Amino acid sequence: MLDTSFAITPDKEKTTQTHAFKSVGRLKNYQQSEQTIECICENGYVSIVFYKEDIIRILMHPKHTPNKQSSFAVVASPENVEVNIKEGVDTLEVSSQSVTLIINKESFTVNVINQDEEVIVSESDFGLGYNEKQQAICYKDMEKNDHFYGFGQKTGYLDKRGEKMSMWNTDVFAPHNPSTDELYQSIPYFLATREGKAYGIFVDNTSKTIFDLQSSTTRYAFSVEEQQLDYYVFVGPTPKDVLKQYTTLIGTMPLPPKWALGYHQSRYSYKSEEEVRELVRTFKEKSIPLDAVYLDIHYMDGYRVFTFNKNRFPHPEQMVKDLREVGVRIVPIVDPGVKRDVEYAIYKEGMSKHYFCQYIDGEVYHGDVWPGSSAFPDFTNRDVRLWWGKRHKFYTDLGIEGIWNDMNEPSVFNETKTMDLSVIHENDGNPKSHRELHNVYGLMMGASTYNGLKQTLDNKRPFVLTRAGYAGVQRYATVWTGDNRSFWEHLQMTLPMCMNLGISGVAFSGPDVGGFSNDSNGELLTRWTQVGMFTPYFRNHSVLESIHQEPWSFGEEYEQIIKRYIEERYVWMPYLYILFKEASETGMPVMRPLFLEYPHDARTNNINDQFMIGSDVVVTPILTPSTTHRSIYLPEGRWVDYWTGKQFNGGQYHLIHAELDTLPIFIKEGAIIPLARTKSSTAIKDKELLIHIYPKDNNTTTFTYYEDDGESFDYQVGKYYECDITVITNDAGIDVQLTNKHQQYQPEWQEVTYVIHGVDADTPVNITEFSYKHFTSKVFKQ
Ligand code: MIG
């Protein structure tokens, strides 16, 4: 009934509630112990901890000194920070070398000031306190030019100013639209910018958290379904600094195996060995590159995880082996629900060891998922994580190196869509209810899976794909954005969603290319594959009974273009891999919103239909049907069309032309972009490295090229290759120098081609190579 106009029956409107905010109140007393300041206020207790010079942790509890145990998200421990306190008549000033907190003693509002006396974060009238439900809340000032990014996985536009958002991991099969709020991931974190300067806030709360950037135009709030609030302020000053500070606290993505960066093909489901082999054969016949095929739930025996259905998949080991020989890996799905079946080993073992989530009286929680009534491993318990992780030997023994975790919100087929909130999690000795820990279930399943694979894979890098997660999920898994649809709107949504995931620390994410539910079509799949070529994660996946959407599904014309863009992914692999390496070290996303690189350019504040790959490439895809033109914005500098070499001035808008076969890509003048020849899989090593140079007049740039074996952890003990490529452009011509920096790994390439763009045939180009290794090199002017 609520789906009709009855939903807005005239007598529905309730009287608006007046806001009941109770401040934590006047500062009565405080005590400093090293970098921690414990404050006793009229209505509660506040702790201020300088985690690092530029990371401040603030906690509040109404009844006692706040508990400082962090959630599973936080991996860094506090550094020794020298903190000084200056008490005035009205204020308490607490400072490290980088920042000062000015606390108003009467209202306990806190302003954060940097060394240049600039206010970074402020609370003019409201600050810490409680809302009408006695839950902890914190208000902060919002200025006219403030913009808000991150918040994990959300629908809608890049800039979340004006939105109200709730964090509660939810399986949403219904079409994701602007009013869809809670989705699979909960990352209670944002990065705010104000005229180019940035700060960030991470609310470390594993139950429901609400961010309200809507109810007022001058202040925003975040509140938790708890009495205690625990949040961190990252003081920037640039957006990149904030990201670095945030990922220092919660960790970065480990460098993925290269095959995880290739093109992946999935379907719910490829139901048998024959079907999988036939699929791969078609890719090979058509010479379309492919690195992985996914096995969705039909591969199992009655949806029992850690089993294969013997009729459909009689020889999984042989299949994995044969496909591996042609450069294709198999990634099976593993859901958390364990079938209630007393004759099934995993269930028996989990039950006898008390590894499943249970009520406080010891009764095991059972909920309905694919296998019917099922029990759920308690991943908050270390022993359970180890047990489940070890169980993955079942897969690794078959030659499998990647696992796909689904349904781990956890999703349960009932009214609430999840586990009973009164279930208790063991939480490594600090038991808490499911209500309190709901949002970390997927994160800890990821931890268990990743570590389990790592244990058995013998120095190979594991790959885990997850649907659900919490802050820090990138430490274990790649995130795909769940059940989207074959709608143009969902192709559009992919861009801000993945960019905000990147800002939230998740550098490795991507959508179901082509759309999961509903029926895709040739044009949509083509345009989506063009975008997918650059989303960090590149997988085509579709639902049961929908029209098939493998690259060849819509006829020759589309197939040829789709193939070209899958090939192009492999052309860009060396550059993408270097960006993944950077992300693994600094948290910088691979796919970036323009404001991250150009924070002082207000025109980049909310660009939703363009993105950057690293700092030198702008991609402006076509995102609507029957469209061959669009307007684009290029930031300052000069830019070169990747396909045609045509030059464009930055700092302005352009109307560009892009037929169905064109994904518009622009390279910044001065850039050095290492590319390769395309190939059928990352299993094939490159014989040639192509160093594309886009010279800029009177300029010197250096790019550091990185490469390793792409699959082991040997790079961590120094087995990698690094060289500096320096390009000096002046009146005399172009000087290119390649200088080895680190050479404990020997790249396969025998040939280096320097492609110099935008120069005449008679421009002098001088190449100098300081290399330990002999390779032939040539120059190509274009
Ligand atoms: O409720 O395993 O998002 O990718 O194909 C459906 C079947 C369960 C949801 C995942 C989707 C997957 C599907 N799963």
Side-chain angles (χ1 to χ4, degrees):
M1 194 147 67
L2 286 179
D3 286 342
T4 69
S5 299
F6 183 77
I8 42 170
T9 177
D11 51 12
K12 197 182 169 208
E13 200 164 24
K14 295 183 205 107
T15 47
T16 32
Q17 291 211 341
T18 43
H19 226 92
F21 172 72
K22 182 172 153 199
S23 161
V24 71
R26 186 173 54 84
L27 176 68
K28 296 202 310 203
N29 205 346
Y30 70 90
Q31 212 172 21
Q32 178 182 10
S33 138
E34 295 177 338
Q35 64 219 73
T36 303
I37 295 98
E38 299 291 358
C39 303
I40 302 174
C41 299
E42 209 171 348
N43 301 312
Y45 298 75
V46 179
S47 312
I48 297 168
V49 186
F50 275 77
Y51 222 74
K52 310 224 161 199
E53 288 286 344
D54 47 12
I55 303 178
I56 307 145
R57 184 181 185 190
I58 300 178
L59 304 97
M60 177 190 74
H61 194 284
K63 301 201 179 86
H64 53 74
T65 304
N67 174 354
K68 295 189 189 57
Q69 188 171 36
S70 298
S71 80
F72 292 106
V74 175
V75 289
S77 27
E79 272 171 11
N80 276 332
V81 181
E82 202 188 303
V83 176
N84 294 307
I85 299 192
K86 226 164 64 192
E87 188 169 359
V89 188
D90 303 320
T91 59
L92 193 68
E93 289 190 24
V94 185
S95 42
S96 74
Q97 248 167 40
S98 319
V99 285
T100 302
L101 266 56
I102 303 186
I103 302 168
N104 180 314
K105 291 205 259 181
E106 194 51 42
S107 58
F108 207 84
T109 47
V110 181
N111 287 353
V112 184
I113 319 263
N114 68 13
Q115 288 150 313
D116 304 328
E117 304 279 304
E118 291 167 324
V119 180
I120 303 168
V121 191
S122 64
E123 301 170 348
S124 24
D125 43 5
F126 287 46
L128 278 170
Y130 315 96
N131 64 17
E132 64 282 358
K133 294 182 208 146
Q134 311 309 317
Q135 295 163 342
I137 188 164
C138 182
Y139 287 92
K140 295 200 185 290
D141 299 341
M142 175 155 82
E143 286 186 9
K144 241 207 184 122
N145 295 322
D146 290 359
H147 302 275
F148 298 84
Y149 311 97
F151 302 100
Q153 184 195 8
K154 293 290 169 197
T155 59
Y157 293 113
L158 188 67
D159 181 0
K160 298 298 183 201
R161 190 189 170 106
E163 301 286 333
K164 191 171 175 182
M165 289 160 286
S166 168
M167 301 289 168
W168 184 257
N169 288 3
T170 310
D171 172 4
V172 183
F173 178 70
H176 305 165
N177 66 42
S179 73
T180 309
D181 182 0
E182 294 159 347
L183 278 168
Y184 315 91
Q185 296 276 333
S186 291
I187 306 184
Y189 160 82
F190 67 85
L191 181 159
T193 62
R194 180 180 299 167
E195 281 155 7
K197 295 233 164 116
Y199 70 89
I201 289 194
F202 168 50
V203 184
D204 192 8
N205 177 50
T206 59
S207 65
K208 193 174 278 186
T209 303
I210 310 275
F211 290 92
D212 185 354
L213 292 77
Q214 184 173 68
S215 305
S216 157
T217 50
T218 57
R219 70 172 84 91
Y220 65 87
F222 43 90
S223 58
V224 294
E225 250 190 17
E226 303 293 336
Q227 293 192 308
Q228 173 163 316
L229 182 66
D230 179 0
Y231 78 97
Y232 296 79
V233 182
F234 310 97
V235 304
T238 69
K240 286 188 176 180
D241 293 331
V242 172
L243 247 167
K244 214 166 174 175
Q245 289 152 0
Y246 170 59
T247 53
T248 300
L249 186 76
I250 62 152
T252 56
M253 154 193 78
L255 184 60
K258 239 183 203 173
W259 67 267
L261 274 51
Y263 175 75
H264 296 189
Q265 183 66 51
S266 184
R267 170 85 178 169
Y268 173 24
S269 301
Y270 295 123
K271 292 193 185 112
S272 68
E273 216 169 290
E274 291 93 69
E275 203 182 341
V276 171
R277 285 175 184 274
E278 177 60 29
L279 176 84
V280 174
R281 210 174 299 131
T282 311
F283 270 93
K284 295 294 159 193
E285 271 164 27
K286 294 178 173 292
S287 311
I288 301 174
L290 177 68
D291 258 281
V293 171
Y294 287 63
L295 300 184
D296 208 326
I297 52 176
H298 289 88
Y299 82 85
M300 292 177 274
D301 172 19
Y303 308 118
R304 287 171 187 83
V305 286
F306 305 98
T307 68
F308 268 89
N309 177 317
K310 289 277 171 315
N311 297 323
R312 296 174 191 273
F313 291 89
H315 318 101
E317 188 170 5
Q318 193 60 43
M319 177 184 77
V320 170
K321 189 160 169 267
D322 292 347
L323 297 189
R324 186 58 198 284
E325 266 158 30
V326 292
V328 178
R329 279 163 166 95
I330 288 288
V331 180
I333 197 167
V334 176
D335 291 348
V338 175
K339 188 178 176 66
R340 179 180 210 155
D341 170 358
V342 297
E343 294 177 7
Y344 164 40
I346 306 280
Y347 185 75
K348 273 200 290 194
E349 201 179 338
M351 285 301 275
S352 68
K353 294 189 166 154
H354 306 288
Y355 282 169
F356 294 126
C357 298
Q358 52 186 49
Y359 292 99
I360 201 156
D361 61 7
E363 185 202 334
V364 171
Y365 169 80
H366 285 90
D368 279 344
V369 273
W370 298 122
S373 179
S374 303
F376 296 81
D378 184 1
F379 292 113
T380 69
N381 176 342
R382 182 173 292 112
D383 296 340
V384 178
R385 290 197 294 276
L386 281 172
W387 167 67
W388 186 265
K390 275 194 188 137
R391 277 291 182 167
H392 285 78
K393 198 165 177 313
F394 171 77
Y395 295 108
T396 55
D397 279 351
L398 301 172
I400 287 166
E401 296 166 34
I403 293 290
W404 170 19
N405 285 163
D406 185 21
M407 304 291 280
N408 52 349
E409 292 71 27
S411 174
V412 183
F413 303 150
N414 64 30
E415 280 285 292
T416 70
K417 295 178 150 194
T418 194
M419 192 179 283
D420 204 330
L421 300 185
S422 64
V423 164
I424 299 293
H425 292 287
E426 199 272 348
N427 196 27
D428 287 344
N430 177 23
K432 285 188 176 175
S433 70
H434 186 68
R435 185 193 65 75
E436 293 170 286
L437 289 178
H438 175 77
N439 287 341
V440 293
Y441 192 82
L443 173 77
M444 298 321 284
M445 181 181 190
S448 160
T449 308
Y450 181 84
N451 291 327
L453 289 175
K454 194 171 172 182
Q455 283 275 310
T456 56
L457 277 180
D458 188 27
N459 195 33
K460 277 197 192 134
R461 299 175 214 165
F463 170 70
V464 179
L465 179 68
T466 186
R467 195 169 69 174
Y470 180 70
V473 62
Q474 65 274 9
R475 299 199 301 265
Y476 313 115
T478 302
V479 170
W480 102 99
T481 57
D483 296 344
N484 63 6
R485 303 211 168 205
S486 299
F487 297 161
W488 286 93
E489 290 81 352
H490 281 193
L491 166 57
Q492 293 156 22
M493 186 174 72
T494 289
L495 274 62
M497 191 179 270
C498 290
M499 287 192 278
N500 271 329
L501 275 164
I503 294 296
S504 307
V506 185
F508 198 2
S509 80
D512 282 346
V513 168
F516 177 66
S517 352
N518 292 75
D519 296 313
S520 203
N521 61 66
E523 190 186 358
L524 179 60
L525 182 63
T526 303
R527 290 302 193 187
W528 211 322
T529 307
Q530 290 172 350
V531 169
M533 174 211 146
F534 275 125
T535 49
Y537 178 58
F538 187 17
R539 182 184 73 155
N540 172 318
H541 179 51
S542 58
V543 73
L544 212 69
E545 294 193 323
S546 64
I547 287 187
H548 267 262
Q549 60 186 42
E550 290 76 18
W552 49 85
S553 303
F554 301 102
E556 183 64 24
E557 186 202 341
Y558 298 114
E559 179 186 326
Q560 285 317 316
I561 306 173
I562 290 166
K563 175 179 169 184
R564 246 187 69 201
Y565 282 89
I566 297 175
E567 288 174 342
E568 198 61 28
R569 169 79 169 198
Y570 290 77
V571 168
W572 280 75
M573 194 61 77
Y575 187 61
L576 289 172
Y577 192 61
I578 291 166
L579 291 173
F580 271 85
K581 182 73 184 2
E582 184 190 351
S584 74
E585 285 166 356
T586 65
M588 234 32 73
V590 175
M591 179 185 186
R592 304 178 184 173
L594 276 75
F595 84 82
L596 189 64
E597 295 292 334
Y598 297 93
H600 291 283
D601 181 348
R603 281 167 291 193
T604 66
N605 283 342
N606 201 8
I607 296 183
N608 288 276
D609 57 358
Q610 307 183 181
F611 58 88
M612 294 189 74
I613 290 297
S615 27
D616 290 321
V617 181
V618 168
V619 184
T620 64
I622 300 282
L623 305 168
T624 45
S626 318
T627 306
T628 54
H629 290 79
R630 61 161 290 177
S631 88
I632 64 164
Y633 178 70
L634 294 172
E636 51 136 51
R638 278 171 69 74
W639 300 80
V640 182
D641 182 319
Y642 171 70
W643 303 107
T644 65
K646 193 176 159 198
Q647 302 197 348
F648 289 79
N649 283 325
Q652 65 189 67
Y653 297 88
H654 299 273
L655 177 68
I656 57 150
H657 179 205
E659 294 292 328
L660 187 62
D661 63 0
T662 305
L663 167 70
I665 304 169
F666 299 89
I667 317 278
K668 191 159 193 185
E669 234 181 48
I672 300 165
I673 315 270
L675 303 179
R677 300 277 176 208
T678 195
K679 51 190 178 183
S680 61
S681 152
T682 57
I684 305 208
K685 300 280 185 209
D686 297 324
K687 292 271 167 283
E688 182 185 1
L689 177 69
L690 294 112
I691 301 174
H692 286 256
I693 294 168
Y694 295 82
K696 183 178 170 182
D697 289 348
N698 297 312
N699 186 54
T700 302
T701 358
T702 297
F703 179 85
T704 303
Y705 177 85
Y706 172 89
E707 193 181 332
D708 59 26
D709 65 24
E711 62 173 357
S712 81
F713 284 100
D714 287 354
Y715 72 95
Q716 292 180 342
V717 293
K719 293 193 180 150
Y720 60 89
Y721 174 76
E722 227 171 35
C723 65
D724 273 345
I725 303 160
T726 299
V727 177
I728 304 160
T729 311
N730 54 33
D731 293 344
I734 298 167
D735 241 327
V736 183
Q737 291 169 9
L738 186 148
T739 316
N740 278 334
K741 259 177 101 176
H742 190 100
Q743 48 200 50
Q744 288 183 41
Y745 168 79
Q746 209 163 306
E748 298 276 316
W749 34 267
Q750 305 292 325
E751 246 181 88
V752 175
T753 303
Y754 299 88
V755 187
I756 323 273
H757 291 261
V759 293
D760 306 329
D762 52 10
T763 307
V765 174
N766 179 37
I767 308 280
T768 326
E769 283 157 349
F770 304 99
S771 175
Y772 72 103
K773 162 175 170 163
H774 180 73
F775 48 78
T776 52
S777 55
K778 53 181 194 261
V779 173
F780 192 73
K781 297 177 195 170
Q782 186 166 316

